[in-house]
Amino acid sequence: MDVTQISMFISYHLVAMTGALVLDMIIGDPEHWPHPVRWFGNWIAFLEKRLNRGNGRRRKGFVVVLSMLVWTIGIGGMVVYTAYHVHPYIGVAVEALLIAPTIATKSLADAAIKVLRPLTEGEIERARYEVGMIVGRDTDQLNEGEIARATVETVAENTSDGITAPLLFALIGGAPLALFYRAINTCDSMVGYKNDCYGEFGYASAKTDDLLNYVPSRLTAFAMLIANRSYDHLSFRALWRLMKRDARKHPSPNSGYGESAMAALLGIRLGGLNMYKGIPSHRPEIGDAKQPLTSAHIKQSVAVMRRTVFAYWFLLCVIGGVIIVITYPWG
């Protein structure tokens, strides 16, 4: 691929990425529509059932990652290549349609609002049920503050995992790379656990997910701080210091950046005690507890997420524009 082609394909990816984002904001992920994450999940479950046993589980876990490479880069790449071969406009349209399911702006906001509504109406049991649909921790005993914390943490983490990271990969490699990222993210969420069952088998999935999220998580935290005002009127420098102080406390090398940026902006403390199937798990505390967590912080976190996504999209457009200018054959 020469520099002229790089300029051309970055242009196509920018348009497809933008179209996908608009499409996701309008229709989201309708429940009964086909969705690649469900397909990925079914395939992962199929392989896990057959491979996660006996000796060599870590080696077998790499088969899952490699199979995702075949499904997304291989088959997905062939579909996109064929579409562009017919006509560039068709290629852009196909890419936009394939990228859209990899991002979840509307779905993430809707899921948070589903928790917020019963919480503000005093229906604590319904709020526990709704938050249980988006987190893995036990929710049957959570109070309002803990329900709000679980929701805000989910919004913060998934701003990168579910929206900005796939947008970055869509800019770099179009729909195939965005689909590959989403597939690996699904692998990690299903088998990337450090326990007796998945510790070896999920090793490749977890490490690949960590690698892919390294840059997007940090860019997302930067965009989050740039695009949003502090609810405690802190300067950007003060917010940055708080984010840097707390980001590495998180057990994940990447998730702590979004959560610490969100905590700094809202003036709240995240982390603490979670229960998983009755087993306590102590997460490091992130942020300064300048005020108690309430349902109002759920609404604020959604607003932060939306502004962050717009800022991140703008940042990607600038990056893409610079690449186009540099690689365009002006002479």
Side-chain angles (χ1 to χ4, degrees):
M1 181 181 292
D2 59 29
V3 292
T4 304
Q5 290 176 313
I6 292 173
S7 175
M8 178 179 66
F9 278 109
I10 290 294
S11 300
Y12 293 159
H13 294 165
L14 273 175
V15 176
M17 176 193 75
T18 302
L21 186 59
V22 171
L23 190 62
D24 175 70
M25 287 180 171
I26 295 172
I27 67 172
D29 296 317
E31 184 177 351
H32 300 295
W33 285 26
H35 198 287
V37 172
R38 286 192 284 272
W39 301 339
F40 297 150
N42 291 336
W43 177 248
I44 296 164
F46 173 83
L47 291 181
E48 191 275 334
K49 185 177 180 180
R50 286 155 179 80
L51 299 179
N52 189 20
R53 55 189 177 185
N55 297 323
R57 294 190 187 191
R58 180 173 294 194
R59 184 178 66 253
K60 294 174 183 177
F62 279 93
V63 174
V64 179
V65 173
L66 292 174
S67 70
M68 290 305 181
L69 194 67
V70 173
W71 281 114
T72 57
I73 305 298
I75 297 176
M78 288 175 58
V79 171
V80 170
Y81 174 81
T82 301
Y84 274 109
H85 189 71
V86 174
H87 195 280
Y89 289 169
I90 295 177
V92 169
V94 168
E95 284 213 285
L97 289 173
L98 290 175
I99 295 167
T102 70
I103 53 182
T105 313
K106 187 175 185 299
S107 296
L108 183 57
D110 288 349
I113 297 304
K114 282 184 178 180
V115 178
L116 175 62
R117 284 174 183 160
L119 205 55
T120 55
E121 294 167 2
E123 298 180 21
I124 191 76
E125 288 298 330
R126 192 166 128 233
R128 287 169 176 163
Y129 170 79
E130 293 295 348
V131 77
M133 300 298 291
I134 58 174
V135 299
R137 71 195 68 173
D138 299 343
T139 61
D140 56 321
Q141 299 297 321
L142 299 185
N143 58 27
E144 178 185 346
E146 288 299 301
I147 292 172
R149 176 169 73 88
T151 308
V152 171
E153 287 173 352
T154 297
V155 172
E157 181 178 355
N158 284 286
T159 298
S160 179
D161 288 358
I163 308 169
T164 57
L167 286 177
L168 175 62
F169 288 111
L171 173 65
I172 297 170
L177 199 56
L179 286 167
F180 177 67
Y181 168 80
R182 202 74 177 102
I184 295 301
N185 191 249
T186 306
C187 288
D188 181 60
S189 67
M190 291 182 66
V191 300
Y193 299 102
K194 295 179 180 179
N195 55 31
D196 292 340
C197 182
Y198 296 119
E200 289 295 309
F201 184 73
Y203 177 84
S205 296
K207 292 303 180 183
T208 306
D209 185 74
D210 287 345
L211 179 64
L212 292 178
N213 277 299
Y214 186 87
V215 172
S217 63
R218 288 152 178 79
L219 275 180
T220 301
F222 173 75
M224 192 176 284
L225 296 183
I226 285 289
N228 293 277
R229 65 177 179 84
S230 167
Y231 284 84
D232 287 328
H233 307 291
L234 296 178
S235 66
F236 176 81
R237 180 175 294 181
L239 291 170
W240 183 263
R241 282 201 301 266
L242 281 173
M243 187 271 291
K244 290 289 287 182
R245 183 195 73 185
D246 293 336
R248 294 182 182 178
K249 294 179 181 178
H250 199 283
S252 164
N254 301 311
S255 297
Y257 284 87
E259 289 192 22
S260 59
M262 182 72 78
L265 285 164
L266 300 187
I268 57 176
R269 178 172 292 161
L270 301 176
L273 177 64
N274 297 333
M275 300 293 291
Y276 296 91
K277 296 182 179 179
I279 301 173
S281 174
H282 295 272
R283 293 292 181 92
E285 293 181 338
I286 291 174
D288 295 332
K290 298 181 179 180
Q291 53 187 307
L293 270 157
T294 66
S295 59
H297 292 108
I298 296 176
K299 185 175 182 180
Q300 291 172 3
S301 71
V302 172
V304 167
M305 177 271 288
R306 284 173 169 153
R307 287 190 289 265
T308 300
V309 171
F310 179 78
Y312 195 93
W313 167 82
F314 182 77
L315 177 62
L316 292 185
C317 287
V318 171
I319 294 171
V322 170
I323 295 173
I324 291 169
V325 169
I326 292 173
T327 58
Y328 188 81
W330 297 100

